[in-house]
Amino acid sequence: SSACAVRRAGDRHRGGMAGYGVEERAAPHSLEYRLYFKDAAGRYISPFHDIPLYGDPGKNVFNMVVEVPRWTNAKMEIATKDPLNPIKQDVKKGKLRFVANVFPHKGYIWNYGAIPQTWEDPGHKDENTGCCGDNDPIDVCEIGSKVCSRGEVIQVKVLGTLALIDEGETDWKIIAINADDPEADSYNDINDVRRMKPGYLEATVDWFRRYKVPDGKPENQFAFNGEFKDKDFAVNVIKSTHEHWKALVAKKTDGGEICCTNLTVSDSPFCCSQECAKATVDAAPPCRAANPIPPEVDRWFYYQKN
């Protein structure tokens, strides 16, 4: 469909200086949908393994892969078990996953995504939370004013972190701001968010506590009584998950079903050629116009907080 061609052409300029592009396959909001990543030279890459951790190492500015634009509901995520780790929509019990709107929230209340080259090792018990990792790259809530697009690669300033305990696993949520945000210079730590965007951190805890309740699940729990940790703490968490990722791609840790195929990690036994990467994408169904979003995704859920 022409929609896909236009989308790709527009994507060539996306991602700021990083110059990453994306290529859609199959129809958005279908089980087959995949969004593959390319570097500035148009070569296929894995967003999990081939985009570097740092956008600017000297300044603690990290790369972030945007999976879910703010205000949208489709639970898109890096497919850690697929070759090249494209973005796909999460599936639960055979159905595509959309997060519920729990009043007063609409969809995701930040741009949501992941920091590449990080991994929350399910075999590693976190000394801060006493729980093991959730087997994914570390999650980021980006609080800037621009609504990003799916697959965009942005540079973010890390401000702090929240430790969600999701069904017994540690699931760190990094709070960050787009380094290109007009107000980014005013944000240097978690207290700046409290001062400049009053209510946003409280809303973030509320969102994560309650977003699974409409699906019949209990409220989520947090480590540290739902208190946010500061920037230095958050950066240390990112660095430790980066070390776990290094062990994963070097095959020093057994990653189970995780696909570590990559094109740029020089000492990784999972390195593959561009030909093999292209064959993976070519095997995916062609891009099609998006399927309609089911009307029930617009429902608003109200319930008394405990």
Side-chain angles (χ1 to χ4, degrees):
S1 93
S2 58
C4 302
V6 170
R7 165 116 204 243
R8 284 206 288 273
D11 285 336
R12 286 200 197 113
H13 308 292
R14 276 214 330 223
M17 309 209 357
Y20 295 102
V22 290
E23 185 171 316
E24 292 193 298
R25 291 297 178 126
H29 312 124
S30 74
L31 293 168
E32 299 75 30
Y33 176 75
R34 298 291 185 273
L35 183 68
Y36 288 96
F37 283 71
K38 297 170 162 179
D39 66 11
R43 292 179 296 242
Y44 294 110
I45 56 165
S46 156
F48 186 5
H49 307 303
D50 292 316
I51 295 174
L53 175 74
Y54 287 106
D56 186 339
K59 294 191 180 144
N60 273 336
V61 170
F62 296 88
N63 281 314
M64 170 183 173
V65 177
V66 177
E67 296 164 319
V68 186
R70 189 168 78 230
W71 309 138
T72 65
N73 299 73
K75 189 168 184 359
M76 297 284 177
E77 56 187 22
I78 289 172
T80 55
K81 295 166 186 174
D82 282 20
L84 296 184
N85 316 113
I87 288 177
K88 71 175 177 82
Q89 191 165 351
D90 189 21
V91 176
K92 274 272 152 69
K93 295 179 184 162
K95 287 187 69 172
L96 293 168
R97 246 184 107 187
F98 293 88
V99 303
N101 305 304
V102 179
F103 184 82
H105 309 304
K106 163 68 182 98
Y108 285 72
I109 60 171
W110 346 255
N111 295 300
Y112 190 72
I115 297 182
Q117 296 191 343
T118 63
W119 180 52
E120 296 199 56
D121 181 351
H124 171 81
K125 191 180 234 189
D126 189 282
E127 60 275 11
N128 296 294
T129 66
C131 296
C132 293
D134 74 345
N135 207 25
D136 279 326
I138 201 163
D139 297 319
V140 189
C141 302
E142 191 279 315
I143 64 164
S145 55
K146 178 188 164 198
V147 176
C148 294
S149 8
R150 183 187 311 146
E152 198 169 345
V153 180
I154 62 173
Q155 281 77 52
V156 296
K157 279 175 78 171
V158 167
L159 305 171
T161 187
L162 179 67
L164 177 66
I165 307 298
D166 188 353
E167 298 177 22
E169 297 172 330
T170 305
D171 190 4
W172 292 103
K173 307 296 179 188
I174 300 292
I175 308 299
I177 189 164
N178 193 333
D180 290 342
D181 191 272
E183 294 183 333
D185 289 348
S186 305
Y187 289 85
N188 297 297
D189 214 322
I190 197 71
N191 287 328
D192 297 324
V193 184
R194 213 165 255 121
R195 188 170 49 84
M196 307 267 294
K197 295 186 189 266
Y200 205 176
L201 294 180
E202 293 78 1
T204 294
V205 173
D206 184 63
W207 194 98
F208 281 117
R209 190 188 306 284
R210 305 198 295 143
Y211 81 105
K212 288 185 174 173
V213 171
D215 303 331
K217 296 263 178 74
E219 291 190 346
N220 273 323
Q221 303 301 308
F222 302 90
F224 321 118
N225 290 327
E227 294 296 319
F228 287 82
K229 295 291 186 181
D230 66 8
K231 177 184 80 182
D232 292 344
F233 188 103
V235 168
N236 282 333
V237 169
I238 294 168
K239 286 179 175 169
S240 78
T241 58
H242 181 55
E243 293 305 314
H244 293 152
W245 170 82
K246 281 186 190 165
L248 174 73
V249 287
K251 218 172 180 170
K252 291 186 175 127
T253 304
D254 175 17
E257 295 176 36
I258 289 197
C259 184
C260 295
T261 303
N262 66 79
L263 291 99
T264 61
V265 186
S266 52
D267 51 355
S268 169
F270 302 102
C271 234
C272 84
S273 65
Q274 187 52 217
E275 289 70 39
C276 122
K278 187 175 182 311
T280 297
V281 181
D282 287 346
C287 181
R288 294 202 165 80
N291 288 338
I293 291 175
E296 61 267 23
V297 174
D298 285 335
R299 258 186 86 186
W300 230 351
F301 291 86
Y302 301 83
Y303 81 95
Q304 207 71 45
K305 293 185 209 179
N306 295 337

